[in-house]
């Protein structure tokens, strides 16, 4: 039978995951010659029908691999769907002239997509971010599962033994084990208890400075301190402006002038300096109110 004689009907809508698995298992498997012929059609002529046949004939492989990851508590259908994405990537990159069957080549891509999905969805917060952490995540869980161990705190000897078998540091094993043990925490409280809501994580994340009213008020204050203050000072005569600046707008490392110092400088009484200051401040307040 040649590759062109294969029949790969487009699957109809399926109502359950069991029906999907049954349909996947009904697609015929390819011989090595058929697989190479289809792969060359895809590579040389971008034949999408050839790609479709390669994908459909290996759906059972994805189902088989996805079944091994059911222990993470994620939907089987989602695991299969992510595995199918990996399968399609493998078909696109498959080179029939390298002497490797598609089934062997695709396993890596299928597992990679499933691993990525698990790490993103097993916990709301990722527990493994680097490549080495991801490898440890799956190896450690697989090892504990194979040994039939119930969840418990690792002893130093157990952690050392696992670290030696996986080729990592003991500290890394303890760190990953602690991430396994930690559960997700709801950002919001139950909603029934005011105290629970007050101490829920969402309350720690609130930034009062980001409230619209606070933002507007801050913007107005900054405007007054910058443009408004400059405009108010400009409305004063030279002597009044100098008195206000020497009394109230000195730098942090400078000392404000006293009424008597200014009185001696301008040749008037301290009371006269105070009156000029009060009048200048009143005028500035009026200018700032209109700003």
């Amino acid at each position: 039978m040649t590759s062109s004689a294969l029949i790969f009907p487009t699957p109809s809508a399926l109502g359950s995951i069991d029906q999907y698995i049954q349909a996947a298992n009904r697609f015929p498997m390819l011989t090595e010659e058929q697989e190479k012929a289809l792969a060359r059609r895809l590579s040389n002529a971008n034949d999408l029908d050839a790609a479709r046949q390669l994908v459909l004939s290996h759906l059972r492989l994805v189902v088989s691999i996805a079944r091994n990851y059911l222990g993470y508590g994620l939907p089987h259908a989602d695991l299969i769907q992510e595995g199918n994405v990996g399968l399609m990537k493998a078909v696109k990159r498959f080179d029939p002239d390298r002497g490797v069957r598609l089934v062997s080549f695709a396993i890596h891509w299928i597992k990679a997509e499933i691993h990525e999905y698990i790490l993103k969805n097993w916990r709301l917060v990722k527990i493994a971010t680097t490549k080495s952490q991801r490898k440890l995540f799956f190896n450690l869980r697989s090892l504990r599962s194979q040994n039939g161990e119930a969840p418990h705190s690792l002893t130093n000897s157990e952690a050392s033994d696992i670290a030696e078998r996986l080729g990592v540091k003991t500290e890394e094993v303890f760190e990953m084990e602690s991430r396994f043990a930690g559960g997700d925490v709801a950002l919001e409280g139950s909603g029934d208890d005011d105290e629970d809501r007050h101490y829920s994580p969402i309350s720690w994340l609130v930034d009062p400075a980001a409230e619209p009213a606070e933002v507007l008020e801050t913007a107005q204050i900054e405007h007054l301190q910058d443009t408004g203050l400059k405009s108010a000072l400009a409305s004063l005569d030279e002597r009044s402006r100098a008195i206000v600046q020497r009394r109230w707008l000195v730098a942090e490392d400078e000392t404000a002038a006293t009424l008597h110092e200014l009185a001696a400088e301008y040749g008037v009484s301290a009371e006269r300096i105070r009156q000029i200051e009060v009048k200048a401040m009143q005028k500035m307040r009026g200018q700032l109110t209109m700003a």
Side-chain angles (χ1 to χ4, degrees):
M1 179 184 295
T2 63
S3 60
S4 60
L6 292 173
I7 300 176
F8 283 86
T10 301
S12 58
L14 302 173
S16 68
I17 184 63
D18 291 332
Q19 291 178 336
Y20 173 86
I21 293 174
Q22 292 174 6
N25 289 331
R26 283 198 295 267
F27 288 115
M29 299 179 67
L30 302 174
T31 65
E32 185 173 357
E33 291 73 19
Q34 292 169 341
E35 182 179 287
K36 287 183 178 180
L38 289 170
R40 290 193 179 100
R41 282 170 49 190
L42 173 60
S43 176
N44 298 333
N46 195 29
D47 189 331
L48 296 183
D49 184 64
R52 184 179 71 88
Q53 293 184 53
L54 288 169
V55 169
L56 293 178
S57 64
H58 288 79
L59 289 180
R60 67 182 70 201
L61 173 63
V62 176
V63 171
S64 176
I65 293 175
R67 189 177 294 115
N68 296 325
Y69 295 92
L70 291 176
Y72 292 93
L74 296 170
H76 193 188
D78 289 350
L79 292 170
I80 292 175
Q81 176 175 280
E82 296 301 319
N84 286 341
V85 172
L87 172 60
M88 288 186 283
K89 289 183 177 180
V91 168
K92 182 178 180 180
R93 293 166 173 80
F94 180 59
D95 184 351
D97 297 321
R98 289 191 175 183
V100 178
R101 293 296 302 270
L102 178 57
V103 63
S104 300
F105 180 75
I107 287 176
H108 162 77
W109 292 94
I110 294 169
K111 287 185 176 182
E113 290 296 323
I114 293 177
H115 287 184
E116 186 70 20
Y117 169 74
I118 291 173
L119 290 172
K120 286 182 177 179
N121 295 275
W122 194 57
R123 291 277 173 81
L124 291 177
V125 177
K126 293 183 181 180
I127 68 171
T129 55
T130 66
K131 184 177 181 180
S132 60
Q133 287 177 342
R134 296 181 184 194
K135 182 178 180 180
L136 177 58
F137 172 87
F138 288 104
N139 286 341
L140 179 58
R141 185 176 176 88
S142 176
L143 186 60
R144 296 290 293 273
S145 178
Q146 290 174 7
N147 295 339
E149 299 178 8
H152 68 281
S153 298
L154 289 175
T155 64
N156 288 332
S157 60
E158 289 174 331
S160 298
D161 179 60
I162 292 174
E164 183 177 353
R165 295 171 65 179
L166 299 181
V168 298
K169 297 179 180 178
T170 304
E171 294 79 8
E172 293 177 308
V173 174
F174 276 122
E175 172 66 18
M176 187 56 66
E177 187 68 17
S178 68
R179 297 185 186 189
F180 273 126
D184 293 329
V185 178
L187 282 176
E188 298 182 351
S190 62
D192 301 326
D193 190 338
D194 290 337
E195 183 175 349
D196 182 46
R197 290 199 302 270
H198 179 71
Y199 290 103
S200 62
I202 194 67
S203 65
W204 310 338
L205 302 178
V206 175
D207 182 7
E211 291 291 331
E214 293 290 338
V215 172
L216 179 59
E217 182 178 351
T218 300
Q220 290 176 333
I221 291 174
E222 291 177 350
H223 173 73
L224 289 176
Q225 290 177 339
D226 186 17
T227 307
L229 183 57
K230 290 179 180 178
S231 176
L233 284 171
S235 69
L236 303 176
D237 61 78
E238 184 177 350
R239 184 175 64 171
S240 298
R241 181 166 58 252
I243 290 173
V244 171
Q245 290 176 328
R246 297 273 300 280
R247 289 278 289 160
W248 299 100
L249 302 176
V250 296
E252 292 184 0
D253 57 346
E254 297 179 357
T255 303
T258 65
L259 293 176
H260 291 286
E261 290 173 343
L262 291 172
E265 182 176 337
Y266 285 103
V268 296
S269 66
E271 175 61 21
R272 178 56 183 157
I273 294 296
R274 189 191 67 79
Q275 292 173 356
I276 294 173
E277 179 186 335
V278 169
K279 186 176 180 179
M281 297 293 283
Q282 290 175 343
K283 186 174 183 179
M284 288 180 63
R285 289 193 187 96
Q287 290 288 330
L288 290 173
T289 302
M290 294 185 295

